[in-house]
Amino acid sequence: MNRSALADFLRRRREALRPSDVGLVPGPRRRAPGLRREEVAALTGMSVDYYARLEQQRGPQPSEQMLAALARALRLTAEERDYMFRLAGHGVPRRVPLESHVAPPLLRVLDRLEDSPALILSGLGEVLVQNRLAEAVFGEPPASGLARASAYRWFMEPESRNVYAPEHHEQQGRSQVSSLRAAHAAAGPGSFADEVLQALLRESEEFVRIWERHEVARRFEDHKTLVHPELGRIDVDCQALFTEDQSQALLVLTPAPGTEAEEKLRLLAVLGHETFA
């Protein structure tokens, strides 16, 4: 672990960012450039003292999970992330099409979206990051296991379908299968996509029936009807922004102006997960 180089790298990357780059309000009395240490700590979920010790060359060796969180918080490119891992004494994460390092350009767009549900997905439908409104609609995603993949949740956890209107279930199921097929072709045998595929082939007759259609796509329907437990049906249009290699997508769900759906999303933006009267 190269403590001095790591400390200098973290400090310089922190100072190069503005609060608006990570979705924060600048606030008054900013005498120093860039983000504050406590802001980086909050973005990564670590204590301020822990992060401060890293910049002061006296912290313990950070784990790979902590480094991944720092890479996301500091909006590092893949090359910068790999460099940071080396400085911290870890091997460079293997780059595959379905890796979970979120593309900084997508994060910058997500940070500016507050009035519409928005989330960044991997090719397997893993929720890599989402805004507050998307969490109010879809809930908190699984942090581990096969259920990280949306296709696995769709076929093995039927309650996950409740967020979509019943008339869209068949099309949504076909979309899940075709997206998994494309992800599996990119990742290959032994990958996480392969684990998900083999489990579904063993455990879901419905999945097998659709899989045999041999449809391939990575697509999002233009229109979705979401179902909220208290607010009911919410009609939204779906737009997807992909990274250049198509491995990640920023999904934005917007209601038509002046509709009941727009009013419902405004209410969700205020109340979030609070219980409705």
Side-chain angles (χ1 to χ4, degrees), residues 20-259:
S20 59
D21 293 331
V22 296
L24 298 176
V25 178
R29 298 182 181 178
R30 279 190 175 267
R31 292 187 294 270
L35 298 181
R36 295 169 174 148
R37 286 175 175 172
E38 56 265 31
E39 291 170 334
V40 175
L43 289 169
T44 56
M46 66 177 68
S47 71
V48 178
D49 178 68
Y50 183 95
Y51 179 75
R53 284 187 288 149
L54 288 178
E55 283 200 6
Q56 294 165 356
Q57 305 181 37
R58 58 187 184 90
Q61 183 185 37
S63 67
E64 292 184 359
Q65 292 79 8
M66 192 64 73
L67 290 172
L70 279 169
R72 180 177 300 179
L74 295 174
R75 303 303 193 255
L76 302 185
T77 65
E79 289 75 17
E80 290 170 332
R81 177 204 58 178
D82 292 352
Y83 176 72
M84 181 179 65
F85 267 70
R86 292 190 183 100
L87 293 181
H90 288 285
V92 173
R94 186 169 65 95
R95 293 195 193 181
V96 296
L98 303 175
E99 68 176 340
S100 60
H101 177 66
V102 183
L106 294 188
L107 273 175
R108 287 196 291 271
V109 178
L110 179 68
D111 289 337
R112 289 159 173 76
L113 296 172
E114 298 180 355
D115 60 352
S116 297
L119 53 165
I120 298 177
L121 304 172
S122 73
L124 268 178
E126 300 167 275
V127 178
L128 304 179
V129 62
Q130 62 183 347
N131 65 10
R132 179 174 174 269
L133 197 48
E135 185 174 345
V137 173
F138 296 103
E140 187 174 345
S144 60
L146 297 178
R148 298 200 323 267
S150 60
Y152 187 88
R153 295 196 303 275
W154 184 265
F155 291 99
M156 302 307 301
E157 300 177 359
E159 65 276 7
S160 68
R161 305 185 184 193
N162 294 340
V163 74
Y164 297 99
E167 63 267 26
H168 297 314
H169 284 189
E170 181 179 355
Q171 180 57 43
Q172 185 72 11
R174 290 172 60 188
S175 179
Q176 293 286 352
V177 174
S178 61
S179 295
L180 176 58
R181 187 182 290 277
H184 183 263
S191 63
F192 180 55
D194 190 47
E195 291 183 48
V196 174
L197 172 60
Q198 299 308 321
L200 289 173
L201 288 174
R202 289 192 308 268
E203 300 171 20
S204 174
E205 293 182 3
E206 181 188 8
F207 174 84
V208 172
R209 174 178 57 80
I210 302 176
W211 178 261
E212 290 175 349
R213 300 172 67 112
H214 215 115
E215 297 176 331
V216 184
R218 280 180 179 165
R219 62 179 184 271
F220 301 97
E221 294 301 310
D222 292 336
H223 182 81
K224 294 181 185 292
T225 299
L226 306 176
V227 181
H228 188 272
E230 281 88 13
L231 297 178
R233 295 166 67 96
I234 305 175
D235 293 314
V236 294
D237 293 315
C238 176
Q239 297 293 327
L241 175 64
F242 290 88
T243 53
E244 186 175 356
D245 62 1
Q246 301 286 299
S247 64
Q248 295 178 5
L250 169 63
L251 196 63
V252 185
L253 306 172
T254 58
T259 61

